[in-house]
Amino acid sequence: MYAQMIKSEASTDDPEQLKEFQAKIDDNIKVEPRDWMPEGYRKTLIRQIGQHAHSEIVGQLPEGNWITRAPTLERKMILLAKVQDEAGHGLYLYAAAETLGVSRDNLTEQLLSGKMKYSSIFNYPTLNWADIGAVGWLVDGAAIMNQVPLQRTSYGPYSRAMIRICKEESFHQRQGYDIMMKMAQGTEAQKKMAQDALNRLWYPSLMMFGPSDAESVHSTQNMAWKIKMNTNDELRQKFVDQTVPQAQYLGLTIPDENLTWNEEKGGYDYSDPDWSEFFDVLKGNGPCNVDRLEARNKAWDDGAWVRDGLMAHAEKKRAAKTAAE
Amino acid sequence: MSKEWPLWEIFIRGQHGLSHRHVGSLHAPNAEMAIKNARDVYTRRNEGVSIWVVEANNISASSPSEKGPLYEPSESKIYRHPTFFDIPDEVGHM
Amino acid sequence: MADVDKKMLTQFLLRMGDNTLILGHRVSEWCGHAPVLEEDIALANTALDLIGQTQFWLGYAAEIMGDSKTADDVAFLRDVWDFRNLLLLELPNGDFGQTLMRQFLFDAYQSILLPRLMKSSDQHIAEIAEKSSKEVAYHVERSAETVVGLGDGTEESHARMQAALDRLWPYVGEMFSSDEVDAAMAAAGIAPDPATLREEYDALIGKVLAEATLSIPDSDFTHKGGRNGATHTEHLGHLLTQMQWLQRAYPGVTW
């Protein structure tokens, strides 16, 4: 998910302390910021929470792309509210990461320099209005799949951020599906847009869950530490099973000829995404990687004088106040 | 690198009669802006709410103690609420 | 309610609604691009409030225009020459400083106008004003604070805010211009003559700009043509091209 490709960090910690720590986690007692924690736990969380936060921020861009072209006042407001929520989610997550001893600015610099990643899905373009529906339906749908179990993650601040986010997320998926319904039940052109959106975003949505379990190394430690709650394939399967009837209801075709119900396993058999495309995108070769980072770098650079200006003013006022006292 | 905006911990009283609860943190250059940011970020402008902001490094804590979990009910724009959208039952849970 | 020419009333409502529509649209362009997360969220809030207010104003206008028109029809199907927003609001955003300066200059105006409209002889207008006034009070507080913070911040932020004020000042006067529509509204007790708001406005912005250590340009000149639609800037056409594209390319469709 946002934790695509997160490797567990190794630590050289005292085995007794590690045992106690693991027992705490097994007992579902939350780990809080000032508690002892293995260095590997801290580092892995910083990377995972940080990348989750980056994903929310970068995630504002593909949908933000259509705010000025939203076709009605209501759609304009709904989309704005959703994208604003993404910013808010990023903020909650940066706040959670900061409890681990890293600053938001530091995390931001790592994103902007390419040292830290964000979810691969946001490197795909939004090309017609139905994409906005599909993003809500599929991308938020996939995110919810991952985020609901993460509410039970072991680290307190992360868990609480996820709870807050999950409360707000359901509106996101529903508004997306609502758009898809209007499109799928609309004119020929609208139906075409809806199918086109599904065609382009289906496999990238499947990729959100990360490579198949067979390819995913380093998950075991993260699962033991309850930083990762489910395997990639588990979540991907759940997502497919949930989404297929939704697509059927819309009268749209999922672009997978091998999609068939498997009675024995009680779920759908489906084609894997093209994993070479996934790794290419992670490397920086997706359709929008350059645009996304350019946009974030520009916002950051153009905004420096604003941040510095407001900070300088605050300091002037504080100095004046102290002088007066 | 420029000076980062300080971190503030945010406490909100959601309704009259309740006490303030910790909702999270944010960055702001000073307390006045922290309060406004808190209103925009953590309450989506609910009326009648009380907000406290404390610069994070002014908080003293006992060791391992933590602020409790909590979240504000969201706000007045009804389309933010999942119930605003009519999702047919056949489609399954959403 | 006093008898008033429906055409005049419509013009008044379009002026109110087009202001919030165009400004809301401009502010929404910042989403995902603001200098800092907290400001991104704050600007989105502002845009949301403005577009919400738009639905009220243009909804009422649509009602009067009849023909089962909706607020959306009014927003998405009129061409430049039918728009009645202030020129100030259709200008491109410029940098963050110019955006916030524009916001403050308009918020200050709304903060004076709306309380007057709460006493309108038109019940519907009074209600809209009442609903909007809390949002407006918050907007002006926030934008004023940012103008002060940036005006009296670093040398660079001060220079940029001064440049923004210099750039936008020639558009301020249009808010207080007065024509036969305004005369009709004033005569009917529906809305004040904008010219009567100027003194209070100057006092309000004077105070804030002084605190921001900014100098108000020494000029009376004002651009006109927005609120009567006679001469919009070249910018409005491009804005509408984006905003109205889907409705124009796919007419009559449900979204």
Side-chain angles (χ1 to χ4, degrees), chain B residues 17-79:
Chain B
L18 300 180
S19 50
H20 285 78
R21 309 185 77 190
H22 180 241
V23 293
S25 61
L26 50 76
H27 288 270
N30 63 15
E32 287 80 17
M33 295 212 65
I35 290 176
K36 292 202 170 65
N37 288 343
R39 198 184 318 193
D40 289 338
V41 172
Y42 287 107
T43 74
R44 300 275 195 263
R45 294 155 303 115
N46 271 341
E47 310 296 3
V49 144
S50 168
I51 299 174
W52 288 350
V53 303
V54 184
E55 203 168 335
N57 59 25
N58 281 333
I59 295 190
S60 307
S62 63
S63 50
S65 84
E66 244 325 306
K67 310 130 192 173
L70 65 92
Y71 15 100
E72 275 314 295
S74 277
E75 39 16 74
S76 53
K77 305 282 183 210
I78 63 171
Y79 46 78

Side-chain angles (χ1 to χ4, degrees), chain C:
Chain C
M1 164 177 138
D3 234 349
V4 74
D5 186 300
K6 284 207 157 131
K7 277 216 189 84
M8 296 283 187
L9 180 57
T10 306
Q11 291 299 301
F12 172 76
L13 294 170
L14 288 177
R15 286 172 179 180
M16 296 300 293
D18 285 347
N19 280 349
T20 53
L21 173 63
I22 297 302
L23 182 58
H25 182 94
R26 279 295 188 217
V27 173
S28 79
E29 290 172 5
W30 278 98
C31 202
H33 304 282
V36 67
L37 257 186
E38 285 80 357
E39 285 300 325
D40 211 291
I41 293 169
L43 284 171
N45 267 348
T46 302
L48 274 168
D49 285 347
L50 289 167
I51 298 167
Q53 290 165 26
T54 303
Q55 285 188 315
F56 293 140
W57 293 117
L58 295 188
Y60 188 14
E63 219 181 278
I64 300 185
M65 284 154 109
D67 256 345
S68 316
K69 275 204 216 291
T70 64
D72 281 338
D73 294 331
V74 174
F76 290 89
L77 299 177
R78 283 177 301 146
D79 203 342
V80 169
W81 57 26
D82 286 324
F83 270 76
R84 296 290 178 265
N85 57 284
L86 298 163
L87 298 176
L88 173 69
L89 308 177
E90 68 195 49
L91 299 177
N93 284 329
D95 68 7
F96 187 78
Q98 192 175 307
T99 294
L100 265 295
M101 181 60 75
R102 173 188 64 201
Q103 192 64 42
F104 170 64
L105 292 172
F106 180 68
D107 286 341
Y109 174 71
Q110 293 281 82
S111 75
I112 294 171
L113 174 60
L114 286 189
R116 305 277 215 282
L117 292 181
M118 280 167 65
K119 305 200 207 99
S120 175
S121 62
D122 180 317
Q123 185 56 19
H124 198 160
I125 288 176
E127 278 163 15
I128 298 174
E130 161 97 48
K131 271 187 252 188
S132 312
S133 61
K134 279 198 198 109
E135 292 174 348
V136 167
Y138 182 62
H139 290 182
V140 74
E141 215 187 296
R142 223 185 193 291
S143 58
E145 187 168 56
T146 310
V147 165
V148 168
L150 291 175
D152 187 20
T154 57
E155 253 180 64
E156 179 174 5
S157 71
H158 176 89
R160 284 177 181 262
M161 293 311 283
Q162 187 63 60
L165 182 55
D166 294 342
R167 173 92 176 80
L168 298 177
W169 188 251
Y171 295 92
V172 166
E174 194 189 9
M175 291 190 270
F176 305 98
S177 58
S178 200
D179 60 14
E180 73 273 10
V181 172
D182 302 298
M185 294 301 110
I190 292 179
D193 181 340
T196 64
L197 307 177
R198 186 74 204 240
E199 210 183 308
E200 195 179 331
Y201 181 81
D202 283 339
L204 170 55
I205 66 166
K207 191 158 163 282
V208 172
L209 294 174
E211 204 188 329
T213 70
L214 297 169
S215 326
I216 297 181
D218 188 17
S219 167
D220 271 336
F221 173 74
T222 187
H223 288 293
K224 290 203 170 100
R227 71 198 297 270
N228 63 14
T231 320
H232 278 284
T233 69
E234 289 184 346
H235 304 293
L236 183 58
H238 292 287
L239 187 160
L240 294 183
T241 308
Q242 280 216 317
M243 193 178 86
Q244 299 184 341
W245 159 255
L246 277 177
Q247 285 230 16
R248 301 292 198 162
Y250 302 96
V253 148
T254 308
W255 299 100

